[in-house]
Amino acid sequence: MTDGQASHVPVLLAPVLDGLNIQRNGSYVDGTFGRGGHSREILQQLGPDGRLLAIDRDPQAVSAAKALTSDPRFTMVKGDLADLEQIARENGILGQVDGLLFDLGVSSPQLDDAERGFSFRNDGPLDMRMDPTRGKSAAEWLATVDEKTLRAVLWEYGEERFAPRIASEVLRANKATPMTRTSELAAVVEACVPQRGQRRHPATKTFQALRIAVNNELGQLDSALAAIPAVLRAGGRACIISFHSLEDRRVKRFFRDMSREPEQYRGMPTIPEEFRPPMRVIGRAIKASEAEIAANVRARSARLRIAERI
């Protein structure tokens, strides 16, 4: 989700628009509005009877959507991606959606705003919540987590090989003086991680892991993926952009599983209707071009996967 706040240039725009196979009078859902880069371009391709429903849990994203609310084709909902099926039902489009977009992860405006606490590069409150009005901040979460859990979070969500050392040092430092600033956490991690041969800041994986844990990002994604077959109409497309392997593996596995018949029916000429796969994968993962990466370095890790409801 790396569309810039000022330019609103969304990642992988052309492949997304092509992948959605936009019908002028179709119904579409942008499940991760951000600052509206993709939504604006989708609206440009919709006719007078087209419809776009946008979802985001970040109050700042909802506020940014006010510029589009005068368009009768557009609806903004403050909500969780995990509640996709319920939101679609409440808005009368369950099973009628022609295209669905998830642009996962943290957005450029969230990263660049030090007050949101997502980045180790600029000092700010140790928050990291997508919705600052709900749940525990990263500082509050660290104040209650045990070492075993923190170690597991760093290992699983950050793929951090120094997870045991970081978990021990972070909790030791936090017990002595509770951390409330991003710079404090970054300094502790930097001090305990070997930096020889490191191309990235030592705290990169730790901040990623804590952000995912604080926001339950993978749980949100799993719930949203499970809702896709119920939300899309036959021929409807799901386009999902991910920025790290944890997300991409989940998306790839889900699309694969939804496009396969049960093992006992594989290779058989006829398959009972109830066992036919509900989706088919469209092509392979799409990456950003060299030109796009040169213009927006955050696009370098983006992967777009597309599947169609059968």
Side-chain angles (χ1 to χ4, degrees), residues 56-107:
D56 208 295
R57 54 177 161 170
D58 186 337
Q60 291 185 5
V62 175
S63 180
K66 290 180 180 178
L68 297 177
T69 53
S70 61
D71 189 328
R73 303 170 301 168
F74 178 77
T75 302
M76 182 73 211
V77 174
K78 182 180 185 298
D80 290 338
L81 188 60
D83 296 327
L84 171 65
E85 185 171 347
Q86 177 184 338
I87 292 170
R89 181 183 294 108
E90 291 172 350
N91 284 271
I93 57 173
L94 185 65
Q96 301 177 34
V97 173
D98 295 285
L100 176 63
L101 170 65
F102 302 162
D103 183 8
L104 303 173
V106 64
S107 68

Side-chain angles (χ1 to χ4, degrees), residues 30-310:
D30 183 348
T32 48
F33 181 79
R35 293 302 182 268
H38 288 105
S39 282
R40 286 178 174 81
E41 297 298 330
I42 292 170
L43 284 169
Q44 288 287 330
Q45 298 201 16
L46 290 180
D49 295 323
R51 184 174 182 185
L52 174 62
L53 172 70
I55 305 168
D56 208 295
R57 54 177 161 170
D58 186 337
Q60 291 185 5
V62 175
S63 180
K66 290 180 180 178
L68 297 177
T69 53
S70 61
D71 189 328
R73 303 170 301 168
F74 178 77
T75 302
M76 182 73 211
V77 174
K78 182 180 185 298
D80 290 338
L81 188 60
D83 296 327
L84 171 65
E85 185 171 347
Q86 177 184 338
I87 292 170
R89 181 183 294 108
E90 291 172 350
N91 284 271
I93 57 173
L94 185 65
Q96 301 177 34
V97 173
D98 295 285
L100 176 63
L101 170 65
F102 302 162
D103 183 8
L104 303 173
V106 64
S107 68
S108 292
Q110 288 170 329
L111 277 174
D112 295 338
D113 183 355
E115 292 303 305
R116 300 300 302 272
F118 287 105
S119 176
F120 48 80
R121 299 190 183 280
N122 301 303
D123 182 46
L126 189 55
D127 195 313
M128 299 191 188
R129 288 173 293 176
M130 300 289 189
D131 182 353
T133 68
R134 296 164 51 195
K136 292 181 179 180
S137 68
E140 292 168 332
W141 188 85
L142 281 175
T144 60
V145 72
D146 60 83
E147 186 172 334
K148 181 180 179 181
T149 301
L150 179 55
R151 184 167 60 245
V153 163
L154 295 174
W155 178 260
E156 294 172 18
Y157 297 167
E159 299 178 306
E160 174 57 77
R161 62 192 179 109
F162 298 109
R165 184 185 304 180
I166 294 172
S168 176
E169 287 301 309
V170 165
L171 293 188
R172 182 193 60 77
N174 203 48
K175 184 177 181 180
T177 306
M179 288 180 278
T180 61
R181 310 290 296 181
T182 56
S183 59
E184 294 167 345
L185 175 59
V188 171
V189 176
E190 189 171 12
C192 70
V193 173
Q195 297 184 43
R196 182 179 300 172
Q198 289 269 12
R199 291 184 299 172
R200 295 187 294 184
H201 191 284
T204 300
K205 294 179 179 180
T206 294
F207 271 67
Q208 172 184 296
L210 293 186
R211 189 201 81 221
I212 290 172
V214 165
N215 294 288
N216 187 28
E217 291 181 33
L218 297 182
Q220 291 265 331
L221 174 58
D222 288 342
S223 296
L225 288 173
I228 288 175
V231 171
L232 291 176
R233 72 164 76 243
R237 298 275 186 90
C239 293
I240 305 181
I241 303 171
S242 57
F243 289 87
H244 57 73
S245 59
L246 294 173
E247 297 167 336
D248 187 53
R249 282 197 297 264
R250 273 173 157 76
V251 175
K252 181 180 180 179
R253 183 170 60 245
F254 176 79
F255 282 170
R256 180 199 64 199
D257 292 346
M258 289 295 101
S259 62
R260 285 182 176 177
E261 61 275 2
E263 190 171 354
Q264 65 266 33
Y265 291 107
R266 288 177 194 167
M268 296 184 67
T270 58
I271 302 172
E273 180 70 29
E274 63 268 27
F275 293 110
R276 292 178 184 174
M279 304 188 76
R280 69 184 182 98
V281 175
I282 305 294
R284 297 185 177 183
I286 299 171
K287 302 178 183 180
S289 66
E290 291 185 7
E292 181 172 1
I293 294 171
N296 179 8
V297 69
R298 289 174 179 163
R300 68 182 181 276
S301 58
R303 301 289 184 274
L304 168 64
R305 294 188 185 273
I306 306 167
E308 182 178 281
R309 184 76 164 92
I310 296 174

